Amino acid sequence: MPGITAPQRARTSRKPTCLPNPPMILLAGAEKTGKSRLAAEGTASDLIGMTWWIEIGGSEGTADYYGRVPGANYQIVEHDGSYQDILDAVRWAVAQPPAVEGKRNMIVLDNVTVLWDMLSDEQAMYARWRAEKNAQENRRKGPNPDLPVVVGHDLWNRAKDRWGEILWLLRRHTGPTLLLARQEVVTAFENDKPTRDKTRKIKTEKNLPAAVDAIVELHALGEAYLTGVRTLHWEVTPGQSERFQNFSVDALLRRMGFQEAAATRQVTEARPEAYLTEQAQQAQQQPQQQRSQQGGQPREQGDQSPELAGKEIVALVHQALNDQTDPEACLLDIRETWGSRNLERIPTRTKVWGEMNANSLITRALTAVKERAKKKAAEAAAAGQANQPPQQAPTTGPAAQDRQPEQAREHQAHQEPEPPAEYDSAPPPPDPQNEEPPTGESPEETSQAEEPQAAPAAARPATRRNRGEELAFKALYEEAEVQARLLMMTKGEHLGPISETGDPELPELRNYVLGHRPALVEYLEAAGESELAAYYRKAPPVDPKLAKRFAPYFEGAPAGQ
């Protein structure tokens, strides 16, 4: 795709500093392999001024006891066990100045496994609370207390965001950071199938090993292995774990060159939120005439907050629906210009259609345009049939004389001029800025497309399907039923977002069902149904046998779930 080749602002370059970053070390091991004790011994290193120890989880409670380790020099940062207080404890430890001049502070987080478990439990509890709330509002049976509730992608992303905030703060620490985590021996999988082999798995957020500078695994007391490191200060054999004889935190810091580490971690954080600012800048650079012709460019604006962007989208959709030539093309131009993923982050609100993200608003508007076009076609066809003269109509007698005035009136009714262009075009959605209809317009003259919720479901004409499409629809609806049971809701509630204006089309139904598969595969894996999860992951887009495959899984589930 062609683009701009000239740089858009003045730039500078610099030579590399050749200094290592203040290291983040992940110390993982099974229970009772000496993780906390090695951390306490590491606080005695003469490279460290003071260590701030943040203990998470009261099941071990070794921070006080290991204070008697010879040479141990650390202080415990207290908190109340909530995420926000733990986050503030980390924030406080990072902000502390060096306790000893010329020596940096160290932070020990013991342990991150409990932290990630807590974040996961938070979202699981929220998912159950949300399911119970929805059940009460819809007056139906709530989720089974003996079965887990599926944690959706939105909640897992929230947990990852909270986890990422902790790591973001730790990356601002000027000294070393020691993260303690539990490790367990699990069954190894090959091609999504269990094998007889065993492997070791660190129980924490899966991206943590990539974020740290060194990984040390403790297989037993005094048995340490260096399984990953980022260093140029000593030769490491690539492709295999290295036994670390007489391991200590002090020895690892020296081998990683901590004595000459940079003052701060040299990193430039990614800024995904800058995309909104980029869109605003592009809109300001285009002339007003070009934006009005395209119908999809954002208006000029100084502050591109989600609320203001939502008003911009509502106005653009309103303008597109009033287009006299091709409103559908104008709506698609808006989606192409802003991007579907960006639109999903922008909230909008209209009087009739309520609150939804901008991408859903455009989808709803496209549906209204198509429904309006189909209704016009049906009315035109009905009017053509009404204009045809009756084949056998009596021309004499009292009955015929009585019908002549009616036929005359009917004939006059069909001789009316064609509606104006405003009637032919698709009407706009409710404008949130207008509190009342325009002057001179009565409520009866309000376009039916402005009140889409009042349109009968039968307005969508039935489409003829061939044998293959019928089988595909049947299989997809059966899979939607399976997904609804896993999500603790009815099939109607599950398909509600794509069924508000009638039965969805085959591509829309297929994409909607396929979009929910990854989250449900993760749910099945978490529930111990690895074989069923592997089958569901590899299932074809349309699988007629899927409902039968899930039938044994639902045999123990209560009816109605």
Side-chain angles (χ1 to χ4, degrees), residues 19-25 104 167-168 170-177 210-214 230 256 261-269:
L19 300 177
N21 287 321
M24 293 179 63
I25 301 171
R104 309 186 194 186
L167 294 185
W168 185 88
L170 293 176
R171 285 195 291 268
R172 268 95 193 127
H173 182 45
T174 59
T177 302
V212 299
D213 300 290
R230 187 183 295 122
M256 296 182 68
T264 58
R265 178 169 288 270
Q266 304 162 16
V267 61
T268 302
E269 298 286 351

Side-chain angles (χ1 to χ4, degrees), residues 231-426:
T231 183
L232 297 175
H233 281 71
W234 95 93
E235 294 295 331
V236 179
T237 304
Q240 65 181 20
S241 300
E242 179 178 332
R243 177 72 182 269
F244 202 125
Q245 300 291 344
N246 301 321
F247 170 77
S248 67
V249 174
D250 178 76
L252 179 59
L253 291 176
R254 295 181 185 278
R255 287 194 180 187
M256 296 182 68
F258 174 63
Q259 306 92 314
E260 54 183 87
T264 58
R265 178 169 288 270
Q266 304 162 16
V267 61
T268 302
E269 298 286 351
R271 296 173 53 238
E273 73 281 355
Y275 182 67
L276 293 176
T277 305
E278 176 187 344
Q279 294 294 313
Q281 292 175 351
Q282 290 180 0
Q284 293 173 359
Q285 294 172 0
Q286 296 182 355
Q288 179 69 26
Q289 182 178 2
Q290 181 180 0
R291 288 198 302 272
S292 61
Q293 291 177 353
Q294 294 179 352
Q297 294 292 346
R299 298 179 179 175
E300 294 185 2
Q301 51 206 4
D303 181 15
Q304 188 68 7
S305 65
E307 293 77 11
L308 292 178
K311 294 181 180 179
E312 295 287 340
I313 296 298
V314 170
L316 290 174
V317 171
H318 186 92
Q319 180 182 357
L321 288 173
N322 277 326
D323 186 79
Q324 304 295 330
T325 56
D326 193 349
E328 183 176 357
C330 293
L331 290 170
L332 293 176
D333 284 343
I334 299 174
R335 178 172 286 170
E336 182 179 358
T337 301
W338 287 75
S340 297
R341 292 193 176 183
N342 187 34
L343 290 170
E344 290 176 354
R345 304 176 183 174
I346 301 176
T348 64
R349 185 178 186 277
T350 59
K351 290 183 180 179
V352 176
W353 290 346
E355 297 181 359
M356 63 185 73
N357 62 59
N359 194 44
S360 299
L361 176 64
I362 295 176
T363 301
R364 179 73 66 86
L366 287 170
T367 302
V369 170
K370 294 177 181 178
E371 288 296 323
R372 182 62 180 170
K374 291 180 181 179
K375 187 174 181 180
K376 281 186 59 182
E379 291 177 351
Q385 293 178 359
N387 284 329
Q388 295 180 0
Q391 297 179 358
Q392 298 179 354
T395 57
T396 59
Q401 294 176 0
D402 294 339
R403 280 194 296 267
Q404 287 179 358
E406 296 179 2
Q407 292 176 358
R409 286 195 297 271
E410 183 180 359
H411 178 72
Q412 292 174 1
H414 291 294
Q415 293 299 322
E416 291 181 0
E418 294 183 358
E422 289 78 4
Y423 184 81
D424 291 341
S425 63

Side-chain angles (χ1 to χ4, degrees), residues 33-88:
T33 53
K35 301 184 294 296
S36 299
R37 176 165 183 169
L38 286 171
E41 292 174 349
T43 63
S45 171
D46 58 3
L47 300 176
I48 305 300
M50 173 57 69
T51 298
W52 308 110
W53 192 296
I54 303 175
E55 188 175 42
I56 305 174
S59 59
E60 298 176 359
T62 57
D64 283 297
Y65 179 49
Y66 285 141
R68 64 166 61 188
V69 170
N73 180 28
Y74 63 88
Q75 292 188 18
I76 301 173
V77 183
E78 296 182 340
H79 56 84
D80 62 8
S82 66
Y83 167 78
Q84 289 297 336
D85 209 43
I86 293 173
L87 178 67
D88 198 60

Side-chain angles (χ1 to χ4, degrees), residues 24 26 112 116 156-157 159-161 163-164 167-168 171 179 181 201-215 230 522:
M24 293 179 63
L26 177 59
V112 293
W116 177 244
W156 279 121
N157 290 337
K160 287 180 176 291
D161 288 343
W163 170 267
L167 294 185
W168 185 88
R171 285 195 291 268
L179 307 176
K201 179 180 180 181
I202 300 175
K203 293 193 61 178
T204 183
E205 200 273 330
K206 62 181 180 180
N207 295 317
L208 179 60
V212 299
D213 300 290
I215 304 173
R230 187 183 295 122
E522 292 182 4

